[in-house]
Amino acid sequence: VEYSGQYEHQLRARQTLSYVFPAVILIIFILLVITFRSVAEAAHVILAVPFALTGGVLLQAWLGFNFSVAVWVGYIALFGTAIQTGVVMVVYLEEAVQQARAAKGAALDRAELLAAIKAGARLRLRPKVMTVATTVASLLPIFWSNRTGVEIMQPLAAPVVGGMLSSLVHILIVTPVIFAWLQERRLRS
Protein backbone atom coordinates (compact mmCIF):
# COMPACT_ATOMS: atom_id res chain seq x y z
CA VAL A 1 0.00 0.00 0.00
CA GLU A 2 1.38 3.38 -0.94
CA TYR A 3 -0.13 6.68 0.09
CA SER A 4 0.07 9.62 -2.24
CA GLY A 5 -1.08 13.21 -2.40
CA GLN A 6 -1.00 15.51 0.60
CA TYR A 7 -0.02 12.73 3.00
CA GLU A 8 3.03 11.89 0.89
CA HIS A 9 4.00 15.56 0.78
CA GLN A 10 3.59 15.83 4.54
CA LEU A 11 5.88 12.84 5.14
CA ARG A 12 8.51 14.29 2.80
CA ALA A 13 8.27 17.69 4.49
CA ARG A 14 8.53 16.10 7.94
CA GLN A 15 11.65 14.23 6.86
CA THR A 16 13.18 17.43 5.48
CA LEU A 17 12.33 19.32 8.69
CA SER A 18 13.98 16.59 10.77
CA TYR A 19 17.27 17.75 9.19
CA VAL A 20 16.52 21.46 8.88
CA PHE A 21 15.31 21.99 12.45
CA PRO A 22 18.45 20.72 14.26
CA ALA A 23 20.60 22.44 11.64
CA VAL A 24 18.90 25.77 12.39
CA ILE A 25 19.51 25.36 16.13
CA LEU A 26 23.15 24.38 15.51
CA ILE A 27 23.75 27.33 13.18
CA ILE A 28 22.19 29.69 15.72
CA PHE A 29 24.43 28.27 18.46
CA ILE A 30 27.57 28.61 16.34
CA LEU A 31 26.68 32.21 15.50
CA LEU A 32 26.11 32.93 19.19
CA VAL A 33 29.51 31.45 20.10
CA ILE A 34 31.12 33.63 17.43
CA THR A 35 29.21 36.70 18.63
CA PHE A 36 29.91 36.33 22.36
CA ARG A 37 33.23 34.47 22.07
CA SER A 38 32.00 32.23 24.87
CA VAL A 39 30.23 28.88 24.89
CA ALA A 40 28.68 29.69 28.29
CA GLU A 41 27.13 32.94 27.02
CA ALA A 42 25.92 31.20 23.86
CA ALA A 43 24.32 28.43 25.92
CA HIS A 44 22.80 31.08 28.18
CA VAL A 45 21.17 32.87 25.23
CA ILE A 46 20.03 29.67 23.53
CA LEU A 47 18.05 28.82 26.68
CA ALA A 48 15.44 31.15 25.22
CA VAL A 49 14.51 28.31 22.83
CA PRO A 50 13.06 25.88 25.44
CA PHE A 51 11.19 28.70 27.16
CA ALA A 52 9.71 29.86 23.87
CA LEU A 53 8.94 26.25 22.96
CA THR A 54 6.95 25.83 26.18
CA GLY A 55 4.54 28.66 25.42
CA GLY A 56 4.25 27.64 21.78
CA VAL A 57 3.41 24.02 22.60
CA LEU A 58 0.89 25.00 25.28
CA LEU A 59 -1.01 27.37 22.96
CA GLN A 60 -0.83 24.90 20.09
CA ALA A 61 -2.29 22.14 22.30
CA TRP A 62 -4.94 24.46 23.71
CA LEU A 63 -6.06 25.45 20.20
CA GLY A 64 -5.93 21.80 19.06
CA PHE A 65 -3.47 22.15 16.17
CA ASN A 66 -1.50 19.08 15.11
CA PHE A 67 2.16 19.32 14.19
CA SER A 68 2.38 20.24 10.52
CA VAL A 69 4.81 22.03 8.26
CA ALA A 70 3.11 25.35 9.06
CA VAL A 71 3.51 24.74 12.79
CA TRP A 72 7.21 23.90 12.39
CA VAL A 73 7.75 27.04 10.32
CA GLY A 74 6.08 28.99 13.12
CA TYR A 75 8.49 27.45 15.63
CA ILE A 76 11.52 28.32 13.50
CA ALA A 77 10.31 31.95 13.27
CA LEU A 78 9.66 31.96 17.02
CA PHE A 79 13.12 30.65 17.84
CA GLY A 80 14.75 33.32 15.71
CA THR A 81 12.80 36.06 17.47
CA ALA A 82 13.44 34.58 20.94
CA ILE A 83 17.18 34.31 20.28
CA GLN A 84 17.29 37.84 18.88
CA THR A 85 15.64 39.34 21.95
CA GLY A 86 17.90 37.25 24.19
CA VAL A 87 20.98 38.57 22.40
CA VAL A 88 19.78 42.14 22.75
CA MET A 89 19.07 41.65 26.47
CA VAL A 90 22.56 40.22 27.08
CA VAL A 91 24.11 43.11 25.13
CA TYR A 92 22.20 45.63 27.29
CA LEU A 93 23.30 43.82 30.45
CA GLU A 94 26.94 43.72 29.36
CA GLU A 95 26.86 47.43 28.48
CA ALA A 96 25.40 48.27 31.89
CA VAL A 97 28.13 46.28 33.65
CA GLN A 98 30.86 47.89 31.53
CA GLN A 99 29.49 51.38 32.23
CA ALA A 100 29.40 50.67 35.95
CA ARG A 101 33.00 49.43 35.81
CA ALA A 102 34.08 52.52 33.86
CA ALA A 103 32.28 54.83 36.29
CA LYS A 104 33.95 53.17 39.27
CA GLY A 105 37.31 52.84 37.57
CA ALA A 106 37.88 49.42 39.13
CA ALA A 107 36.33 45.98 39.42
CA LEU A 108 32.80 45.82 40.80
CA ASP A 109 31.84 44.05 43.98
CA ARG A 110 28.77 41.78 44.09
CA ALA A 111 26.29 44.50 45.13
CA GLU A 112 27.49 46.91 42.44
CA LEU A 113 27.38 44.15 39.83
CA LEU A 114 23.79 43.26 40.72
CA ALA A 115 22.78 46.94 40.67
CA ALA A 116 24.29 47.34 37.19
CA ILE A 117 22.51 44.22 35.94
CA LYS A 118 19.18 45.44 37.31
CA ALA A 119 19.70 48.81 35.62
CA GLY A 120 20.45 47.10 32.29
CA ALA A 121 17.39 44.86 32.62
CA ARG A 122 15.16 47.86 33.35
CA LEU A 123 16.43 49.56 30.19
CA ARG A 124 15.34 46.53 28.16
CA LEU A 125 11.92 46.15 29.81
CA ARG A 126 9.94 48.54 27.60
CA PRO A 127 11.43 47.42 24.26
CA LYS A 128 10.83 43.75 25.07
CA VAL A 129 7.25 44.32 26.17
CA MET A 130 6.64 46.39 23.03
CA THR A 131 8.14 43.65 20.82
CA VAL A 132 5.89 41.01 22.37
CA ALA A 133 2.82 43.27 22.31
CA THR A 134 3.20 44.19 18.65
CA THR A 135 3.87 40.60 17.60
CA VAL A 136 0.90 39.24 19.53
CA ALA A 137 -1.38 42.11 18.44
CA SER A 138 -0.47 41.60 14.80
CA LEU A 139 -1.12 37.84 14.89
CA LEU A 140 -4.25 37.68 17.08
CA PRO A 141 -6.66 38.74 14.30
CA ILE A 142 -5.66 35.60 12.39
CA PHE A 143 -7.39 33.49 15.05
CA TRP A 144 -10.73 35.28 14.51
CA SER A 145 -10.58 35.32 10.73
CA ASN A 146 -12.47 32.88 8.55
CA ARG A 147 -11.07 33.88 5.16
CA THR A 148 -9.32 31.69 2.64
CA GLY A 149 -5.89 30.51 3.77
CA VAL A 150 -6.57 30.94 7.50
CA GLU A 151 -6.23 27.16 7.97
CA ILE A 152 -2.53 27.58 7.15
CA MET A 153 -1.94 30.84 9.01
CA GLN A 154 -3.51 29.84 12.33
CA PRO A 155 -1.19 26.85 12.94
CA LEU A 156 1.77 29.04 11.94
CA ALA A 157 0.74 31.86 14.29
CA ALA A 158 -0.08 29.69 17.33
CA PRO A 159 3.51 28.80 18.29
CA VAL A 160 4.66 32.37 17.69
CA VAL A 161 2.00 33.93 19.93
CA GLY A 162 2.34 31.38 22.75
CA GLY A 163 6.12 31.36 22.54
CA MET A 164 6.42 35.14 22.58
CA LEU A 165 4.43 35.27 25.82
CA SER A 166 6.56 32.64 27.57
CA SER A 167 9.71 34.18 26.07
CA LEU A 168 8.75 37.47 27.73
CA VAL A 169 9.06 35.85 31.16
CA HIS A 170 12.36 34.25 30.23
CA ILE A 171 13.99 37.37 28.81
CA LEU A 172 12.87 39.68 31.61
CA ILE A 173 13.45 37.39 34.59
CA VAL A 174 15.55 34.31 33.81
CA THR A 175 18.10 35.91 31.48
CA PRO A 176 19.24 38.59 33.98
CA VAL A 177 19.46 35.99 36.76
CA ILE A 178 21.64 33.64 34.69
CA PHE A 179 23.70 36.59 33.46
CA ALA A 180 24.28 37.67 37.07
CA TRP A 181 25.29 34.13 38.02
CA LEU A 182 27.81 33.96 35.15
CA GLN A 183 29.21 37.39 36.01
CA GLU A 184 29.54 36.45 39.70
CA ARG A 185 31.51 33.35 38.69
CA ARG A 186 33.84 35.58 36.66
CA LEU A 187 34.10 37.99 39.56
CA ARG A 188 35.20 35.20 41.92
CA SER A 189 37.88 33.99 39.52
Side-chain angles (χ1 to χ4, degrees):
V1 174
E2 184 176 321
Y3 293 98
S4 186
Q6 288 183 352
Y7 180 75
E8 184 181 30
H9 294 302
Q10 182 179 359
L11 288 179
R12 204 172 311 130
R14 184 177 294 165
Q15 183 180 12
T16 302
L17 282 171
S18 70
Y19 300 118
V20 170
F21 203 72
V24 166
I25 300 297
L26 180 65
I27 290 168
I28 289 172
F29 185 74
I30 290 169
L31 290 172
L32 288 172
V33 169
I34 291 169
T35 300
F36 291 114
R37 295 182 188 97
S38 167
V39 173
E41 285 291 339
H44 165 224
V45 172
I46 209 156
L47 276 177
V49 170
F51 276 87
L53 181 67
T54 302
V57 168
L58 288 175
L59 186 60
Q60 177 190 346
W62 185 62
L63 294 174
F65 295 128
N66 295 323
F67 277 97
S68 65
V69 174
V71 170
W72 285 110
V73 169
Y75 279 114
I76 291 171
L78 169 66
F79 294 165
T81 306
I83 293 294
Q84 177 186 3
T85 56
V87 166
V88 172
M89 175 59 99
V90 169
V91 167
Y92 268 72
L93 295 174
E94 285 180 352
E95 284 179 3
V97 169
Q98 288 174 356
Q99 288 174 354
R101 273 192 202 123
K104 184 177 180 187
L108 302 174
D109 64 9
R110 185 176 188 277
E112 293 166 335
L113 176 67
L114 293 178
I117 291 171
K118 287 177 186 177
R122 279 192 298 271
L123 282 175
R124 187 67 188 130
L125 175 66
R126 187 181 311 143
K128 177 58 182 170
V129 171
M130 287 174 56
T131 300
V132 170
T134 56
T135 302
V136 170
S138 67
L139 292 176
L140 275 181
I142 292 172
F143 295 110
W144 297 305
S145 179
N146 56 5
R147 294 183 173 194
T148 305
V150 77
E151 66 277 356
I152 299 297
M153 292 305 297
Q154 286 178 343
L156 192 143
V160 176
V161 171
M164 288 301 289
L165 294 173
S166 63
S167 172
L168 177 68
V169 173
H170 174 265
I171 296 300
L172 295 179
I173 297 171
V174 177
T175 297
V177 169
I178 294 174
F179 182 83
W181 179 70
L182 289 172
Q183 291 296 319
E184 284 179 353
R185 284 185 58 196
R186 287 185 191 153
L187 189 66
R188 279 187 231 128
S189 37

